[in-house]
Amino acid sequence: GNSVTQMEGPVTLSEEAFLTINCTYTATGYPSLFWYVQYPGEGLQLLLKATKADDKGSNKGFEATYRKETTSFHLEKGSVQVSDSAVYFCALTTIYGNKLVFGAGTILRVKS
Amino acid sequence: DAGVIQSPRHEVTEMGQEVTLRCKPISGHDYLFWYRQTMMRGLELLIYFNNNVPIDDSGMPEDRFSAKMPNASFSTLKIQPSEPRDSAVYFCASQGWGGETQYFGPGTRLLVL
């Protein structure tokens, strides 16, 4: 079946540090891949997405590349800020593009 | 656009009471999803609708849970009777036809005592 595995958190970094949150997936066919972010007390919002192999999604300094050969979609940011503290969810869509399958989420804490 | 609207934002009730959560999707969106988020189980899809018709309710935990979408601009998730283990944050999300991005509401934080 379809599944997403994320690195466990929490991840604690100092401001301006480099961020990587690992995400791997198992899927039938060629899913689209997403990163959603959830700030405290809010709903999830789309951070970035990629719809086919080798695509790179990017937004707000975050990037992730769709790697079919390693079935991965790792999230990276070169210099994190305190305001990036949130929970990050990796997700994929099934072949029909309706149901999202989420990873468990990774808590990111950035200290000033 | 106001985004997805959920009410109430917080609900505290006693075990055995009926709870109704409400959602207004983004205008023009054809899909509506209900999720539950807990520390133990993470984010779970409960049910989703397409054009007001329930398509997949395999995530609904048991008969105490029911969901309806009487029109394109309104959906309810009802729990009757409620139990303490139903305590969670419930999210509604909507999606446009042909799109892949789901837009989430702010959630309803439910506490059943």
Side-chain angles (χ1 to χ4, degrees), chain B residues 25-100:
Chain B
I26 292 173
S27 177
H29 279 189
D30 298 300
Y31 292 91
L32 185 139
F33 305 81
W34 281 102
Y35 292 89
R36 177 172 67 177
Q37 185 179 37
T38 61
M39 290 292 292
M40 291 295 294
R41 301 173 68 92
L43 201 59
E44 305 171 275
L45 176 65
L46 301 177
I47 184 171
Y48 81 93
F49 296 83
N50 179 24
N51 290 325
N52 314 335
V53 176
I55 302 300
D56 184 346
D57 65 354
S58 59
M60 295 286 264
E62 50 198 273
D63 291 345
R64 297 185 297 107
F65 285 69
S66 63
K68 294 182 180 179
M69 192 165 186
N71 57 62
S73 59
F74 184 65
S75 177
T76 59
L77 178 67
K78 187 174 293 187
I79 308 172
Q80 167 62 20
S82 58
E83 297 182 2
R85 60 193 168 119
D86 302 330
S87 298
V89 182
Y90 291 82
F91 289 103
C92 175
S94 69
Q95 177 181 318
W97 184 87
E100 290 183 309

Side-chain angles (χ1 to χ4, degrees), chain A residues 32 34 36 38 41-44 46 49 51 89 93 97-100 102, chain B residues 9 31 33 35 37 43 45 48 56 91 95 99-102 104-106:
Chain A
S32 293
F34 303 80
Y36 278 79
Q38 183 180 26
E42 298 183 11
L44 281 71
L46 179 68
K49 69 177 182 181
T51 58
F89 293 90
T93 53
N98 297 328
K99 290 176 67 170
L100 274 172
F102 285 96
Chain B
R9 292 295 309 275
Y31 292 91
F33 305 81
Y35 292 89
Q37 185 179 37
L43 201 59
L45 176 65
Y48 81 93
D56 184 346
F91 289 103
Q95 177 181 318
E100 290 183 309
T101 301
Q102 291 186 19
F104 283 74

Side-chain angles (χ1 to χ4, degrees), chain A residues 6-83:
Chain A
Q6 291 181 233
M7 64 187 289
E8 289 192 20
V11 174
T12 303
L13 297 173
S14 297
E15 208 165 20
E16 300 184 3
F18 185 85
L19 168 70
T20 300
I21 300 178
N22 291 337
C23 170
T24 57
Y25 66 90
T26 302
T28 306
Y30 305 100
S32 293
L33 302 174
F34 303 80
W35 278 100
Y36 278 79
V37 59
Q38 183 180 26
Y39 298 103
E42 298 183 11
L44 281 71
Q45 55 185 274
L46 179 68
L47 181 59
L48 54 84
K49 69 177 182 181
T51 58
K52 61 183 187 296
D54 300 325
D55 267 3
K56 178 185 284 187
S58 61
N59 186 25
K60 299 181 181 180
F62 291 89
E63 292 183 339
T65 301
Y66 189 142
R67 301 286 188 201
K68 181 174 168 232
E69 62 276 11
T70 54
T71 61
S72 65
F73 193 55
H74 304 321
L75 182 68
E76 296 182 336
K77 187 176 185 184
S79 176
V80 294
Q81 306 300 311
V82 172
S83 58

